[in-house]
Amino acid sequence: MRAQFILSMKWIFFLITLVIVSAVPSAAYATDDECVFESRFNELAEQQGTTAELGLRHEILAAVTSCALEEVETVQKNLDDLLIVDEELRTARTRFIDRLNEAHEYYATQQETIADLGLRGTKSLAATLLERRNELYTPLLNRTVHFIIWMKNQDLFEVAEDRSRQINQTIATLKLIGNTNIQFLFEESTAHFQRAQRANQVAGQVFRVSDTPDDSPSLIRKSLEELAATYQSFFELS
């Protein structure tokens, strides 16, 4: 049983560490090879001024908008899959979904116009897409992903709270309160967990009141770092 617990703690600790590493994404879900355009841009540079340039610009714009649509749909699915009981957080999810729907409609509309564009039109659309992504869409995408990460982290907090309660009961039952080392480790785990909870609660409150850029990434990271330290103390206590 103890061996199973140690294995479980190691696995949870690994998951927390993994989430910390990815808790502040620069772009979400955009890892498909078909959505990496460097080689196509290089090809476009070589085709400048040739008869093939316009067709290549059409292809790139079609691919860019298709990837954006797929990206939005993937994030929307992750939002839909969240089990949310809290009414304010359900409202927050609805806000994200509404803004993602607007982004999806925008990309779909632009995609329909590509085939009719001339050379100047493709250049103009490319500049508009880039500007809109940098100023509007990427901040929305990252913030939505932060919300999804935060929601999924709540299971880890529930496990930690339950484990802390079990350890406290064990210490009391076995009358280990006088054991200095055990008492120190338990108090240390409690302090880490309380700090993790505070950062986690503040991040949750931010999502409840707004969907604009904020400091939620740093709060999420801090909460997970403290939670990882909590589980490390649990592991030492085991």
Side-chain angles (χ1 to χ4, degrees):
M1 180 66 71
R2 184 175 183 274
Q4 291 178 341
F5 169 73
I6 292 175
L7 181 60
S8 175
M9 287 297 102
K10 286 183 176 179
W11 177 242
I12 292 174
F13 186 80
F14 167 76
L15 287 176
I16 294 173
T17 304
L18 184 64
V19 172
I20 290 174
V21 171
S22 61
V24 188
S26 58
Y29 304 105
T31 57
D32 194 316
D33 288 342
E34 294 182 359
C35 296
V36 178
F37 299 101
E38 184 177 358
S39 62
R40 297 195 192 186
F41 291 151
N42 290 337
E43 183 181 357
L44 179 60
E46 296 173 356
Q47 297 295 336
Q48 293 276 356
T50 70
T51 56
E53 180 182 357
L54 180 58
L56 186 55
R57 285 185 178 276
H58 282 166
E59 290 177 13
I60 293 174
L61 286 172
V64 166
T65 50
S66 291
C67 287
L69 289 168
E70 182 179 353
E71 191 173 49
V72 172
E73 291 163 5
T74 300
V75 177
Q76 286 176 320
K77 184 180 185 307
N78 276 271
L79 277 173
D80 289 337
D81 289 345
L82 293 174
L83 179 60
I84 304 178
V85 177
D86 185 287
E87 189 61 36
E88 289 182 336
L89 292 175
R90 289 173 65 90
T91 300
R93 175 171 60 182
T94 299
R95 288 199 302 267
F96 284 120
I97 290 175
D98 288 344
R99 294 190 64 192
L100 287 170
N101 284 339
E102 292 174 3
H104 192 279
E105 182 178 354
Y106 172 79
Y107 284 117
T109 299
Q110 298 308 312
Q111 190 175 61
E112 293 176 356
T113 69
I114 293 172
D116 297 327
L117 295 176
L119 193 60
R120 182 178 297 179
T122 60
K123 292 180 180 180
S124 176
L125 178 57
T128 300
L129 290 175
L130 179 60
E131 180 180 11
R132 187 180 181 91
R133 183 176 183 88
N134 290 339
E135 294 184 1
L136 299 175
Y137 179 60
T138 295
L140 169 63
L141 190 66
N142 285 340
R143 180 143 169 76
T144 306
V145 172
H146 294 146
F147 176 74
I148 293 169
I149 290 174
W150 182 84
M151 284 299 309
K152 292 184 176 181
N153 289 346
Q154 302 318 299
D155 288 342
L156 297 175
F157 277 88
E158 290 182 11
V159 172
E161 187 170 14
D162 183 61
R163 183 55 192 162
S164 180
R165 188 164 45 246
Q166 292 175 14
I167 291 175
N168 190 33
Q169 292 174 350
T170 300
I171 290 174
T173 300
L174 299 180
K175 299 180 180 179
L176 299 174
I177 296 177
N179 186 310
T180 305
N181 185 51
I182 289 179
Q183 190 64 29
F184 171 78
L185 287 173
F186 181 67
E187 290 176 356
E188 184 180 53
S189 70
T190 300
H192 282 304
F193 187 51
Q194 288 175 345
R195 287 193 290 269
Q197 285 182 311
R198 282 196 293 271
N200 184 60
Q201 289 167 358
V202 173
Q205 187 58 33
V206 168
F207 287 123
R208 285 180 170 88
V209 299
S210 173
D211 62 356
T212 55
D214 55 63
D215 58 353
S216 61
S218 62
L219 290 167
I220 292 172
R221 183 181 295 277
K222 178 175 176 55
S223 71
L224 290 176
E225 288 172 345
E226 292 290 352
L227 193 59
T230 302
Y231 276 104
Q232 180 62 38
S233 295
F234 288 166
F235 177 71
E236 293 173 8
L237 276 167
S238 67

